[in-house]
Amino acid sequence: MSVGTTQTRQGLGGRLAALSRIVELGPGRVDPKLLTESGQLLLRAGDRLKLSSEHTVVALAGGTGSGKSTLFNSVSGLELSPTGVRRPTTARAHACVWGLDGAGPLLDWLQIQWRHRFARASALDKGESGLHGLILLDLPDHDSIRALTDSEADRLIQIADLVVWVLDPQKYADASTHRRYVTELAGHDAVTIFVLNQIDRLSPEELAECVADLNDLLRREGVEAPIIVPTSATRGEGVDELRAVLAETVVRRRAAVQRLEADLDRITIRLLKAMPDEGVPVPASTVDDARRIGLTDALCDAVGVPALGEAMENVYGVRSVEWVGWPYTRWAAKLRPDPLNSLRLGDLKDEIRGVKGGSVSAQAAEVDNAVRALSDGLTAGMHEAWQNGIREAARSNSAELPQLLSGELTEIAPRLDRVPAWWRLLLVWQYFLVLLFLAGIAWLGTALAYGVFEMGTLPPGLEVFGETASLPWVGLMVLSVLGLGLLTAVASRNFVMLGAGNERDRLEREMRRRVGAVASTTVIEPVERELARYNEFYSALRGVRG
């Protein structure tokens, strides 16, 4: 094998590997029929490239009455394929092999029966050394009324390294040949030859006119540089020219690769029409931080994280009044309407308590909108099939997402009946001050009654409480206790509100962290897998272009 052929095979191998990735990545995005044909091409290419590269498979194809079998016998120099007036004459493909060594597995792959294989590998075949490595097939008529022969002709036309179309002057423009085969094989110029047979029936002027007309017809059908060889198989005219063309193809040993490249080019054109890669955006395979944060924010709104944090802070502050407020203020407040009712904080309190019981629920519609906004932002400019694929990936867990979010937030919802230890200590301190205040009031009353108004005499040992000299000091003590209680209440209230704010921040951070983790697992990861698939698909599509 030449160096050029080796390099060609290596290039073809890379393109076939890219096509293989397209077949793997394409389901759901590419037309199934196109993927099936691509898979068939991969199988065919794999089989052909494993078989003899020293042999070139040339198929003589044509309609009934074109003289195909006669031409086959004329090129081979032997009466190998039956000819006659019965239509179709050739029911099974025949093969003539120049150089039989190594051709057996290839003939098996072609499914040529043993009794229809013939060898031209004798020293008597002088002057035919250029054809060494040629496997010439005489195919059944492609327009046969026999389904079996028609199917066999189609199969071999699809896998032959080079196809020689044998046409006759009467039917060279036959629609069945051009519509079913020639048009479909446009772009296969390097591995397609057209033989205008039976030229013995034409005058030189008619022959020139037929060749020119056939050339124009083929060019209109997409054959850019048609090779046309006029022959008369019965008289041997043009047969040597045909042999020379075949010999040139055989000597190059590139027809098999060229045929696969042409088939691959045709598949590539169809893939590019279905999935164009010109101007296709190349997004990162990972979702950027800004979109992650945006999704988390939207999901937090959908589940009500800010509202829950605010409700928790409000109820936390209101409940603290029961523990850290100045008792006299609380007792006076009982004479007024309940502030919880006026501020509707009682409902918030009940809601937060319900959170602990697992009643947090995400709004499914808002969750869906958040997920859709993410996918829409990532798919701008993409092919519709991939847009749908990324949307489907983003929503792959949409049914479970609201429940997962609710479950995560329910686990960390605060206990509203939890009382911090310092609240309890402060309550003891406040009541201690209340007792001091009451004791001071009692002392003042006793001093006034027994010291000022002399209403009687105190028992021995208690005279000190009736001394008028103690009145200023006791009054100062009562005022100090009262001020200390109020100051303690105000300071405690400030500490409570500061603590409530910190608790809210902590709660919201933890909620956001959990919402972000759920979003990453259920939305981001499936989307990133689809983005990676998208990028790999278009990388393979560019690779298959060569």
Side-chain angles (χ1 to χ4, degrees):
M1 182 182 300
S2 67
V3 173
T5 304
T6 302
Q7 293 174 344
T8 301
R9 282 204 169 192
Q10 289 175 346
L12 177 62
R15 294 182 65 194
L16 290 172
L19 182 62
S20 177
R21 289 300 294 150
I22 289 175
V23 172
E24 292 177 15
L25 299 169
R29 308 291 175 265
V30 183
D31 180 11
K33 180 180 179 182
L34 186 52
L35 289 179
T36 298
E37 293 182 21
S38 300
Q40 291 172 345
L41 173 58
L42 289 170
L43 291 174
R44 185 165 70 249
D47 290 342
R48 181 63 185 93
L49 293 175
K50 287 187 295 186
L51 297 169
S52 175
S53 61
E54 300 299 318
H55 289 84
T56 302
V57 180
V58 177
L60 297 181
T64 304
S66 62
K68 172 173 49 63
S69 295
T70 303
L71 183 62
F72 175 80
N73 292 334
S74 182
V75 172
S76 64
L78 301 170
E79 291 293 327
L80 302 178
S81 190
T83 61
V85 296
R86 182 171 59 86
R87 308 286 176 85
T89 300
T90 308
R92 289 284 187 180
H94 292 63
C96 183
V97 184
W98 280 259
L100 195 58
D101 291 343
L106 183 53
L107 291 169
D108 292 338
W109 179 67
L110 295 169
Q111 299 179 27
I112 305 299
Q113 297 180 357
W114 280 94
R115 60 194 181 93
H116 295 148
R117 302 179 186 181
F118 306 96
R120 290 296 305 267
S122 169
L124 298 176
D125 300 327
K126 296 179 180 179
E128 294 190 352
S129 59
L131 295 178
H132 184 82
L134 170 65
I135 298 178
L136 186 64
L137 304 180
D138 180 20
L139 305 189
D141 301 332
H142 68 76
D143 56 358
S144 168
I145 60 173
R146 298 182 182 178
L148 177 64
T149 58
D150 192 40
S151 175
E152 184 172 9
D154 287 346
R155 179 180 61 81
L156 290 171
I157 288 171
Q158 291 296 321
I159 63 178
D161 300 335
L162 184 144
V163 179
V164 178
W165 288 101
V166 182
L167 309 172
D168 63 85
Q170 289 75 29
K171 296 192 298 180
Y172 68 85
D174 179 55
S176 66
T177 299
H178 289 265
R179 185 173 59 251
R180 288 179 57 189
Y181 300 105
V182 177
T183 303
E184 288 297 314
L185 293 176
H188 289 61
D189 302 24
V191 289
T192 307
I193 298 173
F194 298 91
V195 170
L196 183 61
N197 196 27
Q198 302 177 5
I199 61 173
D200 53 291
R201 299 182 181 180
L202 304 174
S203 65
E205 294 78 10
E206 292 173 332
L207 174 59
E209 183 179 350
C210 281
V211 170
D213 187 53
L214 177 59
N215 184 75
D216 291 341
L217 176 62
L218 293 173
R219 289 181 181 275
R220 288 196 301 271
E221 292 175 339
V223 183
E224 295 181 0
I227 300 174
I228 301 175
V229 182
T231 65
S232 172
T234 56
R235 295 185 179 180
E237 297 177 17
V239 174
D240 288 340
E241 288 76 4
L242 178 58
R243 280 202 189 100
V245 173
L246 296 179
E248 182 181 358
T249 301
V250 171
V251 168
R252 288 201 307 265
R253 300 288 191 266
R254 294 194 67 251
V257 172
Q258 287 178 317
R259 172 59 192 268
L260 293 174
E261 288 176 336
D263 290 343
L264 187 53
D265 288 341
R266 182 170 180 79
I267 285 287
T268 301
I269 291 172
R270 294 172 63 192
L271 283 170
L272 290 173
K273 287 181 179 179
M275 291 283 171
D277 67 343
E278 295 296 336
V280 169
V282 184
S285 296
T286 57
V287 178
D288 58 90
D289 291 340
R291 286 194 170 90
R292 286 175 178 267
I293 294 172
L295 176 63
T296 300
D297 289 342
L299 291 177
C300 284
D301 290 339
V303 83
V305 167
L308 288 172
E310 182 178 1
M312 184 279 301
E313 182 180 17
N314 289 333
V315 175
Y316 187 86
V318 170
R319 288 195 68 254
S320 67
V321 175
E322 302 172 3
W323 294 85
V324 301
W326 185 225
Y328 298 111
T329 305
R330 291 201 302 272
W331 296 334
K334 291 182 179 180
L335 302 176
R336 299 193 301 270
D338 188 354
L340 291 179
N341 293 332
S342 64
L343 296 175
R344 299 184 60 81
L345 292 177
D347 295 338
L348 293 173
K349 183 175 178 180
D350 292 340
E351 180 181 347
I352 297 295
R353 281 174 176 161
V355 167
K356 181 59 182 174
S359 62
V360 173
S361 61
Q363 298 298 318
E366 293 185 22
V367 170
D368 189 64
N369 289 338
V371 172
R372 183 177 299 173
L374 173 73
S375 60
D376 289 346
L378 291 169
T379 58
M382 287 186 181
H383 189 279
E384 183 180 359
W386 288 101
Q387 287 182 344
N388 294 335
I390 290 178
R391 290 192 188 104
E392 290 170 4
R395 301 183 62 192
S396 58
N397 298 300
S398 59
E400 300 84 8
L401 185 55
Q403 183 177 357
L404 289 173
L405 291 172
S406 299
E408 285 290 326
L409 299 190
T410 297
E411 289 184 6
I412 62 172
R415 290 181 56 91
L416 291 182
D417 56 353
R418 179 179 60 85
V419 177
W422 72 275
W423 285 18
R424 298 180 185 275
L425 293 175
L426 192 58
L427 182 64
V428 172
W429 168 252
Q430 291 281 22
Y431 276 105
F432 173 71
L433 293 178
V434 167
L435 292 176
L436 286 178
F437 178 77
L438 294 176
I441 294 296
W443 193 337
L444 286 174
T446 301
L448 288 172
Y450 290 96
V452 177
F453 298 109
E454 298 179 351
M455 297 175 61
T457 303
L458 289 171
L462 297 178
E463 293 88 352
V464 67
F465 292 106
E467 295 178 358
T468 56
S470 66
L471 283 174
W473 300 105
V474 174
L476 181 60
M477 181 195 73
V478 169
L479 291 176
S480 298
V481 169
L482 185 62
L484 183 60
L486 290 174
L487 180 62
T488 301
V490 172
S492 301
R493 181 68 175 169
N494 290 335
F495 280 116
V496 166
M497 296 312 297
L498 179 61
N502 292 335
E503 183 68 13
R504 174 182 178 175
D505 292 341
R506 184 203 65 77
L507 177 66
E508 290 187 359
R509 283 197 304 271
E510 180 62 14
M511 285 183 169
R512 283 184 58 82
R513 187 190 69 79
R514 295 211 177 196
V515 169
V518 171
S520 179
T521 302
T522 59
V523 180
I524 300 295
E525 289 181 6
V527 166
E528 288 183 340
R529 285 194 295 269
E530 191 65 16
L531 286 173
R533 179 184 174 190
Y534 170 86
N535 285 330
E536 190 172 355
F537 177 88
Y538 275 99
S539 177
L541 192 59
R542 287 185 283 272
V544 82
R545 295 176 65 178

